[in-house]
Amino acid sequence: VAWGRATGRVTRLVEQGPRFGAYRLTLPVELVDATGASRQFRVPIEARASQVVDLPGTFTAAPASVRCDPGHTLLAVCTAK
């Protein structure tokens, strides 16, 4: 996860492993901002092995945390690097 101070944008690298190939899907994401407020997003993911996606909106500070699939609705393993 990266936050751009100049732009206020938050981006996330999404990688899909080679075991099952890449799928097009909608990824649920939860962002907790610097004030502790939680926001939920549904981010479209293309059928590519690796891509950087922008979360909607702009933010005045780096997020406190970003979790993918917080409700465990996808058959996936999400890891943060």
Side-chain angles (χ1 to χ4, degrees):
V1 175
W3 170 72
R5 181 181 306 275
T7 64
R9 304 288 301 175
V10 173
T11 59
R12 181 176 185 109
L13 173 64
V14 176
E15 296 178 318
Q16 297 187 55
R19 184 173 178 193
F20 300 108
Y23 287 87
R24 184 176 175 190
L25 58 104
T26 301
L27 180 65
V29 176
E30 176 188 47
L31 180 143
V32 177
D33 68 19
T35 69
S38 174
R39 296 187 195 182
Q40 303 282 325
F41 304 102
R42 297 184 59 74
V43 181
I45 304 298
E46 296 299 321
R48 296 194 328 236
S50 179
Q51 64 190 288
V52 175
V53 294
D54 288 322
L55 298 185
T58 57
F59 305 88
T60 58
S65 68
V66 178
R67 294 189 317 152
C68 72
D69 196 22
H72 307 289
T73 59
L74 300 175
L75 182 56
V77 175
C78 294
T79 58
K81 294 182 181 178

